[in-house]
Amino acid sequence: AQTVTQSQPEMSVQEAETVTLSCTYDTSESDYYLFWYKQPPSRQMILVIRQEAYKQQNATENRFSVNFQKAAKSFSLKISDSQLGDAAMYFCAYLSGGSNYKLTFGKGTLLTVNP
Amino acid sequence: EAGVVQSPRYKIIEKKQPVAFWCNPISGHNTLYWYRQNLGQGPELLIRYENEEAVDDSQLPKDRFSAERLKGVDSTLKIQPAELGDSAVYLCASTGVSNEQFFGPGTRLTVL
């Protein structure tokens, strides 16, 4: 079974600064997808960024980018120019590339943005 | 495009009482998921539907939990009877042609 580990229960960053959230995963599969979800206090899970395992290029979405190290099974999220609205729980998630669409989530990292 | 709709947003019940949650996925999304999120944890899958068929219910505690998606659109998740340990947020999600899961706002259940 796949596992996802987020080793940072909490992180904080100053507004306009950069922060990196860590995620490692364990799998024997070669075809899979990785996601970062944001969950604000409203509880709505919002997709931040996704990465296909077969792509070597790291995904980027505006201020959000990932560092995908397939051999090390590491998938970190970098948030640049942090904004107050970035404050939320961030979950790393793994999805098998097969027909099983089960998302496996980490325990999350609570990000605080200080003004 | 309307997102995934869930109701109620909050529910407080006493233990041993029944409770039901409702989910309406994004229009055209054939795959529907129910997750349970305990406090301080990530969501865990309870059941997945492909249209009206439950294709993965291995994590659903079948002694007290049941779910249905009769017409392959909206779905109901029921707990009967509820226990203290069932207090959690219950999330519904759906997918269309891609594998991106779109989540609803969830129902926060408190069992007293």
Side-chain angles (χ1 to χ4, degrees):
Chain A
Q2 292 77 29
T3 59
V4 177
T5 302
Q6 293 180 248
S7 59
Q8 306 154 315
E10 297 183 23
M11 290 284 285
S12 64
V13 63
Q14 289 297 125
E15 195 175 3
E17 297 295 307
T18 296
V19 64
T20 298
L21 307 183
S22 301
C23 173
T24 59
Y25 58 95
D26 187 23
T27 184
S28 59
E29 299 175 331
S30 59
D31 182 21
Y32 53 89
Y33 302 82
L34 296 165
F35 303 85
W36 278 98
Y37 279 90
K38 169 185 177 182
Q39 187 178 42
S42 67
R43 301 197 305 268
Q44 185 97 38
M45 280 279 195
I46 302 165
L47 180 64
V48 174
I49 199 165
R50 62 179 285 161
Q51 175 80 43
E52 291 84 351
Y54 64 86
K55 290 186 177 179
Q56 293 186 339
Q57 187 172 5
N58 289 324
T60 300
E61 288 287 342
N62 300 314
R63 298 183 294 108
F64 299 87
S65 61
V66 299
N67 183 2
F68 174 47
Q69 301 290 326
K70 191 172 184 178
K73 297 180 182 175
S74 171
F75 182 61
S76 61
L77 174 69
K78 186 172 80 171
I79 306 174
S80 304
D81 185 24
S82 297
Q83 301 176 1
L84 295 177
D86 294 334
M89 281 290 288
Y90 285 81
F91 291 96
C92 178
Y94 172 101
L95 180 71
S96 172
S99 60
N100 178 5
Y101 293 108
K102 178 181 176 181
L103 264 181
T104 301
F105 287 86
K107 292 187 175 183
T109 297
L110 179 62
L111 177 65
T112 302
V113 181
N114 301 309
Chain B
E1 179 182 84
V4 176
V5 179
Q6 289 188 249
S7 67
R9 290 295 309 276
Y10 303 88
K11 189 72 177 179
I12 301 174
I13 61 171
E14 294 189 347
K15 62 181 180 181
K16 300 184 181 180
Q17 294 300 306
V19 64
F21 315 122
W22 177 79
C23 172
N24 192 24
I26 292 173
S27 178
H29 281 194
N30 296 326
T31 309
L32 183 146
Y33 312 77
W34 282 103
Y35 288 87
R36 177 167 61 188
Q37 185 177 18
N38 293 316
L39 186 64
Q41 304 289 321
E44 295 179 327
L45 181 70
L46 291 173
I47 189 168
R48 172 170 68 95
Y49 280 94
E50 291 290 344
N51 298 303
E52 65 274 11
E53 182 182 0
V55 295
D56 182 0
D57 63 357
S58 57
Q59 302 301 311
L60 190 72
K62 299 180 183 62
D63 56 337
R64 298 183 299 107
F65 286 66
S66 64
E68 59 183 17
R69 194 185 184 198
L70 295 176
K71 297 183 178 179
V73 180
D74 57 343
S75 175
T76 302
L77 177 69
K78 297 178 182 178
I79 308 175
Q80 182 171 12
E83 297 178 352
L84 295 177
D86 296 331
S87 294
V89 174
Y90 291 83
L91 294 166
C92 180
S94 68
T95 56
V97 295
S98 77
N99 58 17
E100 178 182 346
Q101 295 190 21
F102 293 85
F103 285 82
T107 296
R108 180 181 296 279
L109 173 67
T110 302
V111 182
L112 303 176

